[in-house]
């Protein structure tokens, strides 16, 4: 019998259809409820978020607190201060800054691991990993100022590995990849104390400042948070993306399948979940090993079916076409199908509850990173020196679970097809052609008005808002208004499930964007990868500026960003590096500084004057779209290209009139 009441609050549970717009998800929530299995969807209902914490008005940075300084009247700056005298502005800014530090640390530590493996691979010390994209290796060598013509490939790779690793502990000098930004942006960073130095240095600096009794100037705190965010976007995330591309291949367009329907009843199902492709890449190889396949068959399975979850999924989808089982809020649901034999997790966005859910089934949760263990789960530590054998151990454990399946399997039927793998290099090539890769056609289409602007829509799912809905409503509204969308992370997966990552999605577009998509043969929503691959968007934006005709800084572009269903600290770090790179960036759900009007006004209004980019917040996806489009139009006007678009629209109206005659 389905439990209709919440066991903690006694209140009636919300009808399933209000929780997600994804049918496979609704189906599985129904099953979970029928079987009394707790999921994030129900827990979010039974435990309301703390409004004081959500607004950034709670300081727990010392043992005189926690001090709570909420506003007494809505929209006014609270008049309370903490025991030490910390103002609501200092408290909100400090909390926000620490979120940026934590989020950046996650991306940067991921990158540190990638750099370490890259260096070992370059030194020939670890079998299984190698160099796939020589062109990109040479590019990085040049970025680091190496005389690549006089060096062997191995020498370049070793030096690049060492120099990337050195970016973390660097004490002096700017982060090297900041030179990829437009010159005007670099000058602005220098002028505003934003130019990032070593990765670890900036993060430690911020943790120091936010300790009790140190930096108590909210603007100064937001600036250092900006510098930390930039070590993420133009440092850690960019290093991770670039080195992963060199080792595993830069993505090119490839078709893929998504949603829980990719799981198979008669095969061993393994899900790789998390963010780090170092492990998943090897699991991909192990699953294709004839010895492993034979082992699976010996257990009565037809084969081994590997699928991905969260950003690890994006990584292996883009490079190998491995199907995706789902995005963040589907991780528990995948297990509830009853056919997942092992869920292999690396780092980040892994709910602890997957272990609790797995206990109701035969599923083995396998942790692989010494940094991310789950109590009660099986830990098979991944050893990069013997990567393929580590991966085989994992696959063998999964196969051993296959005969232990219990209960009736219930796999939702839903799957969708998609085209993914739009790295910056690919977009460049697709638009410009093989002889003259270039962003020129994109710039010309923006200048000419067929494309109104560019939007980056990225980020998570959040159990406090309808799963996938805001992503889809927002993105459909943007493309309807001729705004081309670049997407990553769980947002990209929401799009994939809804069929927006296919050229046929041109049917949702305004006439200008539809025309461009049809001419080039691309979807109106371009899947650029995982969350660390948001660095690809920074590179693409810089390339558009360099191509000419759209101003001389990222902040001049008719562009905006959004994470409508964000939940992680990583998302805040990403948002802040886009803002510090000159992009107007809107977040949904809640905003973590709204307890202080002073800080919120600073982030939402005053920053634009200083940084060229600023934050925004809206709950309603149509309102988000309106804000983004208004910003895009403001930038078009400043560039003097607003008239071109009016002409395009006029032409269309005229054409329609002619058609009617
Ligand atoms: Ni990004 Fe990817 Fe998804 Fe959010 Fe988590 S998986 S790194 S943080 S939830 S998009």
């Amino acid at each position: 019998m389905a439990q209709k009441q919440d066991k903690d609050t006694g209140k009636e549970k919300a009808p399933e259809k209000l929780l997600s717009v994804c049918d496979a998800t609704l189906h599985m929530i129904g099953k979970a409820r029928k079987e009394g299995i707790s999921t994030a969807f129900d827990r979010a209902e039974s435990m309301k978020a703390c409004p004081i914490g959500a607004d950034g008005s709670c300081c727990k940075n010392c043992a005189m607190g926690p001090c709570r300084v909420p506003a007494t009247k809505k929209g006014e700056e609270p008049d309370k201060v903490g025991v030490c005298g910390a103002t609501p502005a200092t408290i909100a800014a400090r909390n926000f800054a620490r979120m940026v530090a934590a989020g950046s640390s996650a991306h940067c530590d991921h990158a540190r691991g990638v750099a370490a493996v890259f260096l070992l691979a370059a030194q020939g010390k670890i079998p299984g990993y190698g160099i796939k994209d020589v062109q990109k290796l040479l590019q990085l060598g040049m970025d680091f100022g190496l005389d690549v013509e006089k060096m062997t490939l191995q020498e370049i790779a070793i030096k690049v590995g060492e120099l990337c690793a050195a970016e973390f502990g660097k004490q002096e000098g700017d982060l090297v990849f900041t030179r990829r930004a437009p010159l005007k942006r670099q000058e602005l960073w220098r002028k505003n104390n934003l130019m990032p130095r070593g990765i670890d240095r900036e993060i430690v600096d911020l943790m120091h400042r936010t300790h009790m009794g140190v930096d108590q100037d909210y603007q100064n705190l937001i600036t250092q948070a900006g510098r930390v965010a930039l070590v993420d976007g133009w440092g850690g995330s960019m290093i991770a993306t670039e080195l992963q591309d060199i080792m595993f291949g830069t993505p090119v367009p490839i078709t893929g399948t998504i949603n829980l329907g990719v799981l198979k009843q008669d095969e061993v199902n393994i899900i790789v979940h998390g963010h780090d492709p170092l492990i998943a890449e090897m699991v991909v190889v192990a699953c294709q090993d004839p010895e492993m396949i034979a082992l699976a068959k010996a257990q009565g399975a037809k084969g081994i079916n590997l699928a991905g979850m969260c950003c690890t999924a994006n990584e292996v989808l883009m490079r190998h076409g491995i199907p995706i089982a789902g995005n963040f809020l589907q991780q528990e649901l995948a297990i509830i199908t009853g056919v997942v034999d092992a869920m292999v997790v690396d780092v980040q966005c892994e709910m602890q509850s997957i272990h609790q859910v797995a206990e109701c089934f035969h599923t083995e949760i396998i942790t692989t990173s010494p940094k991310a263990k789950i109590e009660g789960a099986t830990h098979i530590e991944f050893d990069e020196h013997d990567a393929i054998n580590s991966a085989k151990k994992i696959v063998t454990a999964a196969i051993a679970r296959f005969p232990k399946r219990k209960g009736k399997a219930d796999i939702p039927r839903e799957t969708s097809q998609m085209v993914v793998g739009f790295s910056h290099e690919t977009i460049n090539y697709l638009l410009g052609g093989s002889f003259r890769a270039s962003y020129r056609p994109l710039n010309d289409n923006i200048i000419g008005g067929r494309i109104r602007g560019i939007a980056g829509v990225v980020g998570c799912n959040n159990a406090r808002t309808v799963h996938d809905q805001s992503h889809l409503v927002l993105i459909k509204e943007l493309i309807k208004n001729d705004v081309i969308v670049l997407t990553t992370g769980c947002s990209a997966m929401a799009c994939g499930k809804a069929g927006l990552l296919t050229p046929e999605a041109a049917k949702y577009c305004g006439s200008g964007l539809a025309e461009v998509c049809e001419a080039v043969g691309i979807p109106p929503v371009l899947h650029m990868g995982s969350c660390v691959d948001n660095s690809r968007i920074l590179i693409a934006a810089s390339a558009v500026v360099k191509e000419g005709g759209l101003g001389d800084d990222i902040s001049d572009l008719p562009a905006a960003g959004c994470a409508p269903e964000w939940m992680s600290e990583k998302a805040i770090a990403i948002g802040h590096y886009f803002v510090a790179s000159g992009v107007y960036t809107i977040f949904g759900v809640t905003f973590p500084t709204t307890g202080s009007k002073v800080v919120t006004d600073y982030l939402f209004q005053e920053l634009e004057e200083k940084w060229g980019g600023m934050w925004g917040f809206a709950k309603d996806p149509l309102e988000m779209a309106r804000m983004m489009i208004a910003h895009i139009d403001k930038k078009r006007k400043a560039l003097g290209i607003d008239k071109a678009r009016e002409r395009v629209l006029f032409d269309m109206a005229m054409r329609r009139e002619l058609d009617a005659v």
Side-chain angles (χ1 to χ4, degrees), residues 451-528:
I451 296 179
R452 190 170 189 163
I454 308 170
V457 183
V458 305
C460 325
N461 290 143
N462 186 318
R464 304 218 173 266
T465 184
V466 185
H467 173 231
D468 288 351
Q469 188 181 54
S470 293
H471 289 296
L472 300 179
V473 173
L474 166 65
I475 290 172
K476 281 188 182 159
E477 186 65 15
L478 289 170
I479 60 177
K480 189 174 108 192
N481 283 283
D482 291 323
V483 176
I484 191 166
V485 175
L486 311 177
T487 183
T488 59
C490 289
S491 180
M493 298 185 209
C495 294
K497 287 185 279 174
L500 295 177
L501 302 182
T502 60
E504 292 73 49
K507 67 174 182 247
Y508 298 112
C509 299
S511 53
L513 179 59
E515 214 177 294
V516 175
C517 289
E518 273 151 27
V520 188
I522 52 169
V525 184
L526 302 178
H527 185 313
M528 293 188 84

Side-chain angles (χ1 to χ4, degrees), residues 275 310-311 328 349 459-461 489-490 531 567-568 570:
H275 290 76
C310 288
C311 282
F328 175 70
C349 298
C460 325
N461 290 143
C490 289
C531 272
M567 62 86 201
S568 78
K570 288 181 289 174

Side-chain angles (χ1 to χ4, degrees), residues 306-321:
L306 183 66
M309 179 74 58
C310 288
C311 282
T312 292
N314 283 323
E315 300 280 2
V316 289
L317 161 74
M318 292 209 302
R319 299 199 179 90
H320 304 285

Side-chain angles (χ1 to χ4, degrees), residues 1-8 10-16 19 29-39 42 45:
M1 238 336 254
Q3 293 172 341
K4 289 230 171 350
Q5 268 85 30
D6 185 289
K7 72 174 168 28
D8 295 325
K11 284 195 198 139
E12 184 108 348
K13 287 183 185 174
E16 279 132 42
L19 301 176
I29 297 173
K31 180 174 189 240
R33 284 182 167 181
K34 238 180 260 154
E35 297 181 6
I37 301 168
S38 158
T39 66
D42 285 343
E45 260 193 73

